[in-house]
Amino acid sequence: MRTYTLPAAVIAGALALGLTACGSDTADSTSGASGTLVVGATPTPAGEVLAYIKDHLAKKAGLDLEIKEFTDYVLPNTALQDGTLDANLYQHKPYLEDFNRSKGTTLSAVTDVYLPPMGVYSKKVDDVTKLARGATVALPNDTTNEGRALQLLASKGVIELKKDAGANASPQDVAKNPKGLTFKELEPAQLPRSLGDVDAAVINNNYALDADLSPQKDAILLESVKNNPYNNVLAVKKGDEDDPRVKKLAELLTSPEVKKFIEEKYQGSVLPA
């Protein structure tokens, strides 16, 4: 199932977390170009990077920053579109562009911030090429991240994709599957919890870190940084790119101080862009 739809309980929980993370109980929390900049983020690493800026850099730069945390990949964009947020940080550009196409949103990338490499994880094998015949591999069920996961598996020769599959590849685009792998499509947040039930799972970096998985140490296959289009970006609603608060945050996110913070905290599991 290739859909953005979330179960009602997940939506309610994520929305409650997003709206209460900083003590706000209003639907429209934005305060205009001269007020507080309200930024949505997944907890790790985006929320941690933003918290570092809020605690150490924002005041000196004259930026009043409020962070709202979300536990899924849909609500931060719908909240940005409806004006609940001024900006968000959690997604790569291919996901943002696909979201705009499928949901009719008008969101825009401001600047690349960091690369969170996607990885394959398993409790049963220590090398992706050792997966047994007929093994089950869990994949993220959103279009761009599923395609990204399949491209990662193809990079190791575990499967072969059709030549025209591209970034939005699906299991239907698998041209060769010599191990007869079965693909199980799950909400990205569920993938770490699926490891006990499947032979391997391709997990987005932020959910791996949230589950105390180290991409550098625990992944049995990890994306290469070289020519990787999946840097996470600071995003705004189209037309807000020149908001002075957004420009200040973009400068801080790409500053030497934040680069050093990312390098020291994540030790190669997240890479500054």
Side-chain angles (χ1 to χ4, degrees), residues 26-39:
T26 61
D28 186 0
S29 299
T30 57
S31 304
S34 61
T36 301
L37 184 71
V38 185
V39 185

Side-chain angles (χ1 to χ4, degrees), residues 218-233:
D218 297 323
I220 62 173
L221 178 62
L222 196 63
E223 278 183 329
S224 169
V225 178
K226 187 177 181 180
N227 299 323
N228 197 310
Y230 295 108
N231 287 322
N232 278 193
V233 298

Side-chain angles (χ1 to χ4, degrees), residues 19 61 94 124 176 180 221 247:
L19 294 179
K124 299 181 180 179
K176 293 183 181 179
L221 178 62
K247 287 187 172 182

Side-chain angles (χ1 to χ4, degrees), residues 123-178:
K123 291 185 176 180
K124 299 181 180 179
V125 296
D126 59 5
D127 187 318
V128 72
T129 63
K130 295 180 182 178
L131 285 168
R133 186 168 188 80
T136 298
V137 180
L139 306 173
N141 71 347
D142 65 85
T143 304
T144 55
N145 282 309
E146 183 171 54
R148 181 182 180 185
L150 290 167
Q151 294 284 358
L152 178 57
L153 293 171
S155 72
K156 196 68 173 178
V158 179
I159 58 172
E160 185 177 316
L161 295 172
K162 296 175 183 176
K163 291 183 179 179
D164 60 348
N168 293 339
S170 75
Q172 288 68 45
D173 293 308
V174 176
K176 293 183 181 179
N177 186 1

